[in-house]
Every structure is written in C-alpha cells, then in structure tokens.
Amino acid sequence: MALYIEIENGAAKDHPIDGANLKLAYPNIDLNNLPANFALFQRKEKPAVGVYEVDLGDSYAIENGVWTDVYNIRTMTPAEKIAKQDQVKATLNPPASWVWSETFCNYVAPVAYPSDGELYTWNEETTSWDLFNNG
C-alpha cells in the first residue's frame, strides 16, 4: 500500500495517507502524476527506545528525495539517568536476593527466568523459580 503526504510551505501538513483514502478525498488526483502539494511517503519502522533514552516525538522530513518518518530520540544526560534510577529504586520492593542492574534500570533475580515457555514465580526461600500453579 503506497502512502502519500500533503506538503505546505515545504513542510508536511498532516499525517501520511494511503492511496485509496487519498483518492476518496481527492477523486481527480492522479497518483502517478502528483500535484506539487503531495508527495510519496516511505514509512520507516520506529526504533525501540532504550532504557536510558528519551523519545522526543516523531516528525516527517525528506531523506534522499523521499518524505519519511524521523524519530527524535536522545540519550539521557547523566543527571536524568541517575534520577530515573532513583525513581525506580524508590518505587520497587524487590526480594532480598535480587540485585540492582544498571543496564536494565531494574532489579534482577540471581537466577535467570526459565526460557521453556512455562510460567514461574520467584521463591525467595530457595532463591529459585517455581513452576506457577494455577490451581
């Protein structure tokens, strides 16, 4: 499905629209010969925002002659990173055996969660994962 975007004064006016909806809104538009105020749009997948990154919102711009998504993500400052860690630490009450992971900005169990697709609960007494009993 091809996407298009309306352009006004050199900037994207609204959000991209698929060709079928564009034809409904403008029945006489020729998608193979677009008027100057419309352009083809190439959708880009949004990258994952890391634990120490800030999503500043999305916008649209021309890259290599094609209108596309621009994802504005920045790395946290050292002060923001410490504030986030402090906030997470203040809101959680982890089991005593769990340790702080700066990488994940969270507490983690001393034993990895099983990867067999089953559900488990943490057993602090044995410091291990017990198969979840739903009955």
Side-chain angles (χ1 to χ4, degrees):
M1 160 184 52
L3 294 173
Y4 302 87
I5 195 156
E6 189 171 2
I7 310 302
E8 186 176 272
N9 299 322
K13 183 176 176 184
D14 285 310
H15 299 288
I17 184 171
D18 71 65
N21 286 338
L22 185 59
K23 287 292 283 183
L24 285 174
Y26 301 95
N28 296 324
I29 197 166
D30 180 357
L31 298 180
N32 295 314
N33 189 19
L34 293 170
N37 62 322
F38 281 94
L40 194 59
F41 185 88
Q42 175 92 35
R43 178 66 72 196
K44 267 197 224 173
E45 187 174 338
K46 186 169 186 165
V49 178
V51 68
Y52 295 117
E53 293 181 322
V54 178
D55 186 343
L56 301 173
D58 309 339
S59 59
Y60 308 119
I62 297 176
E63 290 182 2
N64 302 318
V66 178
W67 282 88
T68 189
D69 298 291
V70 175
Y71 300 108
N72 304 294
I73 299 169
R74 71 165 175 80
T75 302
M76 287 183 176
T77 65
E80 288 172 320
K81 184 177 173 180
I82 290 169
K84 180 175 182 174
Q85 291 172 352
D86 289 345
Q87 178 189 16
V88 171
K89 288 175 182 178
T91 59
L92 297 179
N93 186 18
S97 64
W98 288 33
V99 295
W100 176 253
S101 169
E102 185 173 326
T103 301
F104 298 113
C105 192
N106 209 340
Y107 291 95
V108 296
V111 177
Y113 189 87
S115 60
D116 59 6
E118 298 290 336
L119 292 176
Y120 291 85
T121 58
W122 180 251
N123 183 330
E124 183 63 18
E125 209 172 279
T126 63
T127 61
S128 62
W129 294 102
D130 290 343
L131 191 59
F132 180 71
N133 183 353
N134 197 16

